[in-house]
């Protein structure tokens, strides 16, 4: 399977790139600049591509992204602290983001004669993001089958869609993913803040997987408070 991986530079997508490079044929990484408030993670995607020896393309969709307003990832809205599954994290939703990116990726994949587009959406995203759920993945595949009928037969490969973040950490370790060379934090500082939803989820995932977390956090212990608050 010749696969094009959508890679943000985060832990999930970099782990997926290593998985595909080991199990299939990785033909390249595709990233998107959608006007996100910080682009630090895109540098980590570039590092991943160089490490795996494949092309890396950043698609500029900033003109689209600036119309997807209201998200803490694109607007001047504070990113909340706390557990990823809290209602407050819905402010990080960028409407239809995955559908837009996947549609572009399928076009690129068809032009490059790829067999698959790989995306790292996972089970922990289901609560917040509707375009990360299994029903969306299945529906998008059906839509693309019609969109490319007679021209290309491309699979939407989403191996993590029913996995937890801890499962991905375990998978990533299996394929020797350099976790320290990935970026998750939504705040885009000099180091991971340790307090936003993605930092809490990341730190919790390493703990559940029983794997040492190499990440440098500004607040390395906040995740424990966030987990306890969520459980209360």
């Amino acid at each position: 399977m010749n696969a094009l991986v959508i890679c943000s530079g985060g832990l999930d997508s970099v782990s997926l790139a290593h998985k595909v490079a080991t199990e299939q044929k990785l033909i390249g990484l595709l990233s998107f600049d959608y006007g996100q408030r910080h682009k630090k993670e895109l540098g980590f995607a570039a590092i991943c591509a160089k490490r795996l020896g494949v092309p890396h393309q950043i698609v500029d969709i900033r003109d689209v992204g600036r119309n997807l307003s209201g998200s803490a990832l694109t607007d001047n809205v504070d990113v909340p602290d706390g557990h990823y599954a809290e209602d407050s994290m819905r402010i990080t939703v960028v409407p239809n983001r995955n559908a837009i990116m996947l549609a572009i990726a399928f076009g690129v994949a068809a032009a490059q004669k790829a067999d698959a587009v790989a995306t790292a959406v996972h089970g922990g995203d289901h609560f917040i993001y509707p375009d990360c759920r299994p029903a969306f993945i299945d529906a998008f595949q059906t839509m693309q089958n019609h969109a490319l009928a007679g021209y290309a037969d491309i699979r939407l490969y989403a191996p993590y869609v029913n996995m937890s973040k801890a499962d991905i950490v375990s998978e990533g370790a299996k394929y020797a993913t350099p976790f320290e060379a990935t970026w998750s934090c939504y705040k885009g500082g000099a180091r991971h803040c340790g307090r936003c939803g993605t930092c809490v989820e990341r730190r919790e995932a390493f703990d559940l997987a029983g794997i040492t977390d190499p990440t440098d956090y500004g607040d390395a212990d906040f995740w424990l408070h966030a987990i306890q608050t969520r459980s209360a």
Side-chain angles (χ1 to χ4, degrees):
M1 183 174 72
N2 297 330
L4 180 68
V5 173
I6 297 176
C7 185
S8 67
L11 185 153
D12 307 332
S13 60
V14 171
S15 294
L16 178 59
H18 278 259
K19 176 181 174 67
V20 171
T22 302
E23 296 181 343
Q24 311 292 338
K25 182 178 180 181
L26 176 64
I27 65 170
L29 303 185
L30 194 65
S31 303
F32 293 88
D33 180 350
Y34 58 91
Q36 55 267 54
R37 286 169 59 180
H38 71 81
K39 299 174 177 60
K40 189 166 186 172
E41 70 270 24
L42 297 179
F44 286 93
I47 291 170
C48 177
K50 184 176 182 180
R51 182 172 56 250
L52 295 175
V54 297
H56 176 230
Q57 181 179 359
I58 299 176
V59 179
D60 185 349
I61 55 170
R62 285 176 293 174
D63 284 343
V64 175
R66 67 172 51 99
N67 289 288
L68 308 179
S69 58
S71 171
L73 303 191
T74 56
D75 288 357
N76 188 23
V77 178
D78 289 340
V79 175
D81 295 339
H83 195 281
Y84 199 63
E86 292 180 8
D87 282 341
S88 61
M89 296 301 162
R90 293 185 188 276
I91 194 65
T92 63
V93 171
V94 179
N96 226 34
R97 178 178 59 176
N98 280 349
I100 293 166
M101 293 179 180
L102 283 170
I104 294 171
F106 264 76
V108 173
Q112 295 184 2
K113 309 301 182 185
D115 302 311
V117 170
T119 179
V121 299
H122 69 89
D125 288 335
H126 297 175
F127 179 79
I128 302 174
Y129 305 119
D131 57 0
C132 290
R133 297 170 187 161
F136 167 79
I137 296 297
D138 293 343
F140 194 91
Q141 179 71 75
T142 299
M143 183 268 288
Q144 283 299 313
N145 291 344
H146 288 288
L148 294 171
Y151 182 83
D153 183 10
I154 300 174
R155 174 187 174 192
L156 179 51
Y157 182 52
Y160 300 157
V161 70
N162 289 309
M163 286 189 183
S164 69
K165 188 84 166 187
D167 293 331
I168 297 174
V169 169
S170 296
E171 277 260 306
K174 175 182 175 182
Y175 296 107
T177 301
F179 297 120
E180 68 280 0
T182 66
W183 186 267
S184 298
C185 184
Y186 278 159
K187 296 186 180 181
R191 55 181 176 165
H192 284 73
C193 73
R195 299 179 65 90
C196 70
T198 50
C199 279
V200 169
E201 183 196 38
R202 180 183 175 114
R203 181 66 187 86
E204 180 186 25
F206 277 99
D207 183 71
L208 292 173
I211 293 173
T212 300
D213 185 354
T215 312
D216 178 23
Y217 296 100
D219 189 338
D221 297 323
F222 177 79
W223 74 281
L224 291 169
H225 167 75
I227 296 301
Q228 292 167 358
T229 301
R230 177 65 184 169
S231 301

